[in-house]
């Protein structure tokens, strides 16, 4: 009995970690046989692990279909790692723009910033994050490497999805982030407008460090 329980715990930790880190995405079907073979155990402990994950809201067990991932979340450590990755990519992007002497389309930039301000002032989190993602996409396309753009925007999209869930759970999360970035964004936008990319890198570091501290202290 103890051995079976140990196998169950192993299967549980394996699946939970992969769900928490978005390796197993929502709507992914979990196949008992494949997981059991992967972990070198029988299907019984895997089935018990899935039952526990269902109780905790990570998966839904459907008749004749098995378990399906329904929860998308990231551990605090995983969020910090992604924020650090976004910072590194932003540093590279602005260095690239500086080296190439790139000047952005100011009219399009202003339109995006206005959308963000509308979301910020009305506390409409969906509008705010949609505009913020549009800002990142606008900047990313000044980099010629399509893979760079794809990985960077995919990482940011995952973070935005998580932040939206946190806001829906507690609106104070959005208010806190809005207040903490209120001093960073104007200077960040001004730096981009003026092609002052060293300052843009500085503002990104300030902004990301604040978000990382929030995760560490939460």
């Amino acid at each position: 009995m103890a051995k079976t329980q140990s196998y169950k715990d192993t299967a549980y930790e394996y699946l939970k970690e992969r769900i928490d880190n978005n390796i197993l995405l929502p709507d992914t079907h979990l196949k008992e046989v494949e997981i059991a073979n992967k972990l070198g155990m029988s299907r019984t402990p895997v089935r018990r692990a899935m039952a526990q994950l269902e109780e905790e809201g990570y998966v839904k067990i459907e008749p004749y279909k098995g378990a399906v991932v329904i929860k998308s979340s990231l551990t605090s450590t995983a969020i910090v790692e992604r924020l650090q990755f976004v910072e590194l990519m932003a540093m590279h992007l602005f260095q690239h723009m500086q080296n190439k002497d790139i000047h952005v389309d100011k009219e399009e930039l202003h339109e995006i910033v206005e959308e963000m301000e509308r979301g910020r002032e009305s506390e409409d989190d969906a509008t705010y994050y949609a505009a913020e993602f549009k800002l990142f996409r606008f900047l990313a396309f000044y980099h010629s490497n399509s893979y760079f753009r794809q990985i960077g925007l995919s990482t940011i999209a995952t973070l935005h999805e998580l932040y939206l869930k946190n806001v829906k759970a507690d609106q104070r999360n959005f208010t806190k982030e809005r207040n903490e970035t209120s001093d960073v964004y104007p200077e960040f936008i001004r730096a981009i407008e003026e092609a002052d990319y060293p300052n843009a890198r500085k503002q990104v570091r300030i902004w990301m460090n604040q978000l990382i501290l929030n995760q560490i202290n939460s």
Side-chain angles (χ1 to χ4, degrees):
M1 175 65 76
K3 188 174 182 179
T4 302
Q5 182 64 34
S6 176
Y7 283 150
K8 190 272 284 187
D9 290 343
T10 298
Y12 168 82
E13 293 298 334
Y14 170 79
L15 292 171
K16 183 176 181 296
E17 181 180 4
R18 291 172 73 82
I19 294 171
D20 278 338
N21 289 285
N22 276 20
I23 297 172
L24 293 172
L25 299 172
D27 298 325
T28 299
H29 286 263
L30 304 179
K31 299 179 180 179
E32 288 181 11
V33 174
E34 291 182 2
I35 296 169
N37 290 340
K38 174 77 174 178
L39 298 178
M41 60 179 66
S42 70
R43 295 171 62 179
T44 299
V46 174
R47 190 178 305 118
R48 290 175 177 171
M50 289 180 178
Q52 182 176 344
L53 289 168
E54 183 179 40
E55 291 178 2
E56 296 174 3
Y58 283 85
V59 305
K60 179 180 180 182
I61 299 177
E62 301 178 347
Y64 310 110
K65 292 184 179 181
V68 179
V69 178
I70 60 174
K71 184 172 184 177
S72 176
S73 62
L74 293 172
T75 64
S76 180
T77 299
I79 293 172
V80 168
E81 289 176 348
R82 281 160 174 77
L83 289 170
Q84 290 171 334
F85 178 67
V86 170
E87 180 180 348
L88 288 173
M89 295 200 77
M91 296 299 103
H92 174 74
L93 172 62
F94 291 131
Q95 186 64 59
H96 171 81
M97 295 174 75
Q98 180 179 343
N99 293 343
K100 298 292 185 180
D101 194 25
I102 293 173
H103 293 255
V104 303
D105 182 331
K106 292 183 180 180
E107 182 176 349
E108 184 175 356
L109 176 63
H110 290 165
E111 290 175 359
I112 296 172
V113 171
E114 286 175 3
E115 287 183 39
M116 291 177 62
E117 286 304 315
R118 285 197 295 271
R120 185 192 297 267
E121 291 172 2
S122 62
E123 298 192 350
D124 182 345
D125 48 88
T127 296
Y128 175 81
Y129 284 120
E132 186 177 76
F133 184 78
K134 189 181 293 186
L135 173 64
F136 287 122
R137 186 174 59 193
F138 166 77
L139 293 171
F141 274 85
Y142 282 100
H143 199 290
S144 57
N145 189 302
S146 61
Y147 186 71
F148 174 92
R149 299 195 300 266
Q150 176 187 347
I151 296 300
L153 293 175
S154 175
T155 302
I156 292 168
T158 299
L159 288 169
H160 274 172
E161 179 184 352
L162 180 66
Y163 281 127
L164 278 169
K165 287 185 177 182
N166 288 340
V167 168
K168 289 178 181 178
D170 189 345
Q171 182 67 28
R172 289 174 298 180
N173 293 326
F174 177 71
T175 303
K176 181 180 179 181
E177 181 180 337
R178 180 191 62 192
N179 293 339
E180 289 174 345
T181 60
S182 60
D183 293 333
V184 177
Y185 260 124
E187 185 64 18
F188 175 63
I189 297 301
R190 186 196 65 77
I192 294 170
E193 285 180 328
E194 298 178 1
D196 182 1
Y197 297 122
N199 190 27
R201 292 196 295 272
K202 176 183 175 182
Q203 299 308 316
V204 167
R205 283 194 296 269
I206 294 171
W207 176 30
M208 291 300 159
N209 286 341
Q210 183 61 59
L211 294 179
I212 289 170
L213 282 174
N214 288 344
Q215 287 300 320
I216 293 174
N217 295 329
S218 63

